[in-house]
Amino acid sequence: MSINYEYYKIFYYAAKYKNFTQAASALGSSQPNVTRIMKLLETELNCKLFVREPRGIELTDEGKRLYAHVKAAVIRLEHVQEELSVRMPGTGTAVIGATETALHLFLLDALHEFKEAYPKIRIKIQNHTTPEILKIWLLEGWTLRY
């Protein structure tokens, strides 16, 4: 069996947020793409991973078993990525949560200056309402700094 490892990453976020739309947002993708990839993964694994409900998704027993393994792998990979980026100053990823208003009024100009000063740092912007940003950040285990 040769499953694209990206499918597991997408599965991880879908299972974590219990919502394909939120997973897509966290991945910088679209909800239809996440849905399509999850159907492909279910086909490849020959089992149902999710129960689709009007307000999100729930994991099946098989989905829960897979999530436990995928979550452990993702956490390990994130830790080693952090370790390596610490060894290379001026690199890494900055994750910013901002509302639409804050993004347009304040952030865009500041980001331009930041990218000029730190060109090797990747920037990931999560554009949601304040309550949605806080929910996502708490699920991710991020600390808030401003």
Side-chain angles (χ1 to χ4, degrees), residues 36-107:
R36 181 181 61 80
I37 296 296
M38 290 303 90
K39 286 180 182 176
L40 286 171
L41 182 60
E42 287 177 326
T43 300
E44 289 289 323
L45 294 173
N46 196 30
C47 67
K48 191 172 181 181
L49 300 171
F50 301 102
V51 175
R52 283 129 176 108
E53 298 177 346
R55 292 204 148 273
I57 55 174
E58 289 295 325
L59 291 170
T60 63
D61 289 340
E62 293 87 355
K64 289 175 185 174
R65 285 183 36 211
L66 180 61
Y67 181 66
H69 291 283
V70 170
K71 180 180 177 183
V74 168
I75 289 170
R76 285 188 190 118
L77 289 170
E78 287 175 350
H79 284 183
V80 75
Q81 184 178 343
E82 254 327 286
E83 260 181 48
L84 294 173
S85 68
V86 167
R87 293 183 184 164
M88 297 172 16
T91 63
T93 303
V95 181
I96 301 169
T99 63
E100 190 75 25
T101 304
L103 180 64
H104 289 287
L105 290 178
F106 307 108
L107 200 53

Side-chain angles (χ1 to χ4, degrees), residues 10 12-15 17-29 34:
I10 295 168
Y12 169 75
Y13 282 97
Y17 294 121
K18 297 184 179 185
N19 185 294
F20 288 163
T21 303
Q22 287 183 3
S25 178
L27 292 162
S29 186
V34 170

